[in-house]
Amino acid sequence: MDSREIAAARSQGVHVAQHVLLAAAVIGPLVLLGYALTAPALVGLSPHASRIIYFHVPLAILAYAAFATTLVASASFLVTAARAWDRVAVASAEVGVLFSVIVIATGLAWAQADFVGYQPLEDPKLVSVIALAVVYLGYLLLRGSVTETERRARLASVFGLVAFLAVPVAYFATDLGSVHPLPTQVEGVGAGLGFGLLLMAPLALYLIWCRCDTLALESEIEDLKNRQKARSGQAEVLSEGLQ
Amino acid sequence: MTSDTGPFLVAFGAVGVGIAAYLLWIHVRLSQLRRNLDALKRNRGGPAPTGPAALAVPPVATGGDAAASRDARDATAKEK
């Protein structure tokens, strides 16, 4: 087997893995939906909140995990200067922001159902999670505002390190007088949340993987264009020299 | 399943549509970029076309046209 055959086999393997992950990403949330609709209501929660919790908590954990991935990838980029790490950082940040928005929406729906006279802007948990989403939205906007590739990656990596400070703040905001219950306070929910996490994780992984592919292609195209531009510049200089 | 599942299903559907739209955008962008990359690798010169132009196949001379262009090429070669 020569190197070209090995590369083709590897590419085929990656293709198959991506399709398996896509199937899991589509089927997983639907299975979880069925589970949430049929599982008995949890003690201390309304039936509505009992269903929401199976999506709300796994998505929140996955959003935190995505931001942690951005942190690790940003640090790795600053150490190695490998652009692949920068791509992982931005893809994870995007998915983290998407999931945070869903977590905020599901949290608000839960609060409306279960907490009488709920004041969203007085809840430290909600405010801190909104702040978290805004910080990472800022990370994405910062990337959009810098055109030079290397500078953009370096700046974003530093921002990616600092931005992670908002994650523990959002997580521990529950202790700052929030009405938000801890998962340990809800009886009999542990297994369901683990199941939910297992079913939702492929979606996060698939989104990050595909986004990384897009960014890799964008960077390859940019490199090719730059090389072609440099080559045509050299040709012009040569022809001027000959004249 | 109880009768108050309606709002929950609507919310689930809305979130599902949002995620599906993001996924679709990624896939459309991926195929667009792949086409662009192929065009660049073929080194056509000038900026790579995007959108429907990237899919367009250049016309190939056939029949009498092909023969005419071959004759023209031969004539130019002889002149040289």
Side-chain angles (χ1 to χ4, degrees), chain A residues 29 33 37 51 55 94 98 102 203 206-207 210-211 213-214 217-218 220-221 224-225 228 231, chain B residues 1-2 4-5 7-9 12 15 19 22-23 25-27 29-30 33-34 36-37 40-41 43:
Chain A
L33 174 68
L37 288 173
R51 284 188 286 268
F55 288 93
E94 269 187 28
L98 177 71
I102 300 172
L203 177 65
Y206 184 74
L207 288 173
C210 284
R211 195 67 187 103
D213 278 357
T214 320
L217 276 175
E218 276 174 7
E220 200 178 336
I221 287 173
L224 255 175
K225 277 183 179 170
Q228 282 185 355
R231 220 179 298 154
Chain B
M1 214 185 293
T2 54
D4 63 341
T5 49
F8 174 72
L9 287 175
F12 180 86
V15 169
I19 293 177
Y22 179 62
L23 202 57
W25 173 75
I26 290 177
H27 277 272
R29 183 100 183 102
L30 261 175
L33 285 167
R34 282 194 187 120
N36 262 6
L37 189 65
L40 269 172
K41 278 184 177 167
N43 203 3

Side-chain angles (χ1 to χ4, degrees), chain A residues 82-95:
Chain A
R83 274 157 73 180
W85 285 119
D86 183 49
R87 291 196 286 271
V88 173
V90 65
S92 307
E94 269 187 28
V95 172

Side-chain angles (χ1 to χ4, degrees), chain A residues 3 26 29 45 69 86 108 113 118 130 146 156 160 162 180 197 204 227:
Chain A
S3 62
V26 172
L45 294 183
T69 308
D86 183 49
L108 276 170
Y118 179 68
I130 291 174
V146 183
V162 180
H180 190 284
L197 191 60
R227 245 179 282 155

Side-chain angles (χ1 to χ4, degrees), chain A residues 75-136:
Chain A
S76 303
F77 174 78
L78 288 174
V79 172
T80 63
R83 274 157 73 180
W85 285 119
D86 183 49
R87 291 196 286 271
V88 173
V90 65
S92 307
E94 269 187 28
V95 172
V97 169
L98 177 71
F99 281 14
S100 300
V101 171
I102 300 172
V103 167
I104 292 165
T106 51
L108 276 170
W110 175 354
Q112 291 298 325
D114 271 26
F115 310 128
V116 181
Y118 179 68
Q119 295 293 326
L121 293 178
E122 288 174 15
D123 181 8
K125 183 71 175 182
L126 179 68
V127 171
S128 61
V129 175
I130 291 174
L132 174 69
V134 169
V135 164
Y136 279 92

Side-chain angles (χ1 to χ4, degrees), chain A residues 62 71 74 228 232 237:
Chain A
L62 289 170
L71 170 82
S74 299
Q228 282 185 355
S232 64
V237 170

